[in-house]
Amino acid sequence: MARLVLKFGGTSVANVERIRNVARHVAREVKAGHQVAVVVSAMSGVTNTLVGYVQDAASTGNRDGHIFDQMEYDAVVASGEQVTSGLLAIVLQAMGIPARSFQGWQIPLTTDDAHGSARIMDIDGAKMIEVMSRGEVAVIAGFQGVGPTGRIATLGRGGSDTSAVAIAAAVNADRCDIYTDVDGVYTTDPRIVPKARRLEKVAFEEMLEMASLGAKVLQVRSVELAMVKKVRTFVRSSFDDPDTVGVDAHGNPPGTLICDEDEIVETQVVTGIAYSKDEAQISLRRVADKPGVAAAVFGALAEANINVDMIVQNTSADGSTTDLTFTVPAIDEARARSVLEAAQAEIGPTLIESSADVVKVSVIGIGMRSHAGVASQAFTALASKGINIRAITTSEIKISVLIDAAYTELAVRTLHTAYGLDKA
Ligand code: ADP
Ligand code: ASP
Ligand code: MG
């Protein structure tokens, strides 16, 4: 007997028929003698609809619909998961499987006070263990918990992944299965590269980079948590037939295990390619080339809580002015511009340009640590397609380039081929 946490994302619970299919996956594990807790997302599209209602309500009168009380946002958007957890419990009961639904506060899963994007502080696993030990399936609403003032808090978009991994850690589960609409983690987003290959295993650290750099298959925080708490996390498809799935030569279903680096026998130099359209480029033209300017620019942005990612500064030809280019989250583009305009007194005269028509494409692999020439291979491949690079950042296990958004698919496909990742 094992203790399992199964998580089903929005597409997997998109309607009652799909919830029945999910219940068959749950039934299979229960019949195999396992203790099971299930974490569910809202039906696909529901969270977006709820966010839309919030913005509509907030735009009452002449108000900006993007500014609203985060606690009330949470009260609204957390409701999607409440519906699915109840529906799955009803379907399971109808199939003769004892089940009970739980919302975040009923566990309790406590969070900090960052409503809208709260972090999990603590989970009491006792009640869930008790439920599972008496043979009931605990069906838990993902994405939500209870904040320090007793109000519902949500964990940021995609947060049900984090709920699932955190609950798996709290109940000491043997595995956390993340069921989604693809049968694992691929070398890149299979929706844009049909030649992407499924990876059997990915190291926590690589998965963390892939998720942070745009692979939305897992929420970044879920991977951080899995890495810290050593939760064996298995990404798999809910669309596999629940009754016939589960058998390769080793008795394993198709999917991707996120695990320790030591468990990976054959490491590749490059494991995957990710892309993110969530960044905007800002360039300060002819800014003074003297000490203190970078401090004034990035100090002002930091004070406004705007994260800066890639930074490029040229050495000036004439020793007096230079260009400074960097990226910020696309949602912060307008705010960053006004912060910089307001800080002109310290920065000095400069022309501020910005564009959200950019994409960051990243090449990731732990094998890069021990291989030279990985970056130049990317630059050569992109050059061969006439793709211009606006900015570059590298770390031990990744290289990111900023390019025009129009070239996203071409760049991802080109790099995928260049690093030998295409499936045969
Ligand atoms: P869920 O609703 O189950 O949480 P998501 O839409 O959040 O599902 O995540 C699954 C999607 O992630 C896939 O449909 C796929 O398009 C996308 N994706 C992006 N990068 C990758 C990748 N490297 N491997 C697999 N899926 C990826
Ligand atoms: N329903 C939430 C969202 O769409 C959480 C999740 O699905 O993980 O972001
Ligand atoms: Mg998701």
Side-chain angles (χ1 to χ4, degrees), residues 283-288 322 340 344 347-353:
S283 293
L284 304 183
R285 303 285 178 208
R286 293 189 298 281
V287 69
T322 184
L340 293 167
Q344 291 259 343
I347 300 169
T350 173
L351 177 70
I352 303 170
E353 290 175 356

Side-chain angles (χ1 to χ4, degrees), residues 7-12 41 44 158 161 178-182 184-192 199 207 210 214-218 235 273 275:
K7 180 257 171 179
F8 294 89
T11 350
S12 309
S41 287
S44 77
D161 296 330
I178 306 278
Y179 284 83
T180 182
D181 55 7
V182 275
V185 177
Y186 278 65
T187 45
T188 192
D189 188 345
R191 275 194 218 159
I192 73 159
L199 296 157
M207 193 63 234
M210 284 179 69
K216 290 194 172 138
V217 58
L218 288 175
V235 180
I273 318 280
Y275 67 95

Side-chain angles (χ1 to χ4, degrees), residues 7 9-10 41-42 47 81 143 156-161:
K7 180 257 171 179
S41 287
T47 310
E81 274 69 11
F143 184 49
R157 298 305 305 269
S160 296
D161 296 330

Side-chain angles (χ1 to χ4, degrees), residues 246-252:
V247 275
D248 67 2
H250 312 285
N252 297 320

Side-chain angles (χ1 to χ4, degrees), residues 51-294:
V51 172
Y53 290 155
V54 169
Q55 290 170 345
D56 191 2
S59 43
T60 300
N62 284 329
R63 289 175 175 271
D64 180 344
H66 293 94
I67 299 168
F68 39 75
D69 184 315
Q70 292 290 325
M71 286 190 186
E72 299 310 336
Y73 165 89
D74 279 349
V76 177
V77 300
S79 65
E81 274 69 11
Q82 181 176 344
V83 172
T84 7
S85 59
L87 291 175
L88 179 57
I90 291 172
V91 170
L92 286 167
Q93 289 171 3
M95 289 166 66
I97 297 168
R100 185 57 68 203
S101 73
F102 294 89
Q103 292 178 58
W105 63 270
Q106 290 168 311
I107 294 177
L109 182 159
T110 56
T111 73
D112 65 11
D113 64 357
H115 283 272
S117 173
R119 278 186 174 270
I120 298 175
M121 302 305 286
D122 189 39
I123 301 180
D124 185 352
K127 199 193 281 179
M128 296 301 103
I129 292 175
E130 192 194 308
V131 170
M132 286 190 273
S133 306
R134 50 168 196 263
E136 277 180 35
V137 175
V139 185
I140 300 161
F143 184 49
Q144 54 160 276
V146 56
T149 57
R151 300 203 59 91
I152 293 177
T154 63
L155 308 177
R157 298 305 305 269
S160 296
D161 296 330
T162 305
S163 307
V165 173
I167 286 161
V171 302
N172 230 332
D174 296 281
R175 212 175 63 221
C176 180
D177 282 353
I178 306 278
Y179 284 83
T180 182
D181 55 7
V182 275
D183 64 356
V185 177
Y186 278 65
T187 45
T188 192
D189 188 345
R191 275 194 218 159
I192 73 159
V193 182
K195 284 183 184 159
R197 268 191 295 118
R198 179 163 57 80
L199 296 157
E200 287 297 320
K201 291 182 178 179
V202 184
F204 287 123
E205 226 181 306
E206 280 173 326
M207 193 63 234
L208 190 58
E209 288 286 5
M210 284 179 69
S212 315
L213 295 167
K216 290 194 172 138
V217 58
L218 288 175
Q219 198 199 33
V220 178
R221 283 182 189 168
S222 72
V223 187
E224 274 168 9
L225 210 58
M227 183 156 101
V228 173
K229 304 269 184 185
K230 300 251 178 273
V231 178
R232 289 174 76 77
T233 303
F234 189 63
V235 180
R236 56 189 297 185
S237 171
S238 69
F239 297 122
D240 286 335
D241 186 307
D243 301 315
T244 55
V245 73
V247 275
D248 67 2
H250 312 285
N252 297 320
T256 302
L257 183 68
I258 323 289
C259 58
D260 263 332
E261 208 176 299
D262 318 342
E263 280 193 54
I264 299 173
V265 194
E266 259 179 79
T267 49
Q268 301 241 321
V269 179
V270 168
T271 308
I273 318 280
Y275 67 95
S276 163
K277 292 186 174 169
D278 300 337
E279 307 218 7
Q281 174 189 333
I282 299 193
S283 293
L284 304 183
R285 303 285 178 208
R286 293 189 298 281
V287 69
D289 191 12
K290 62 173 192 202
V293 169

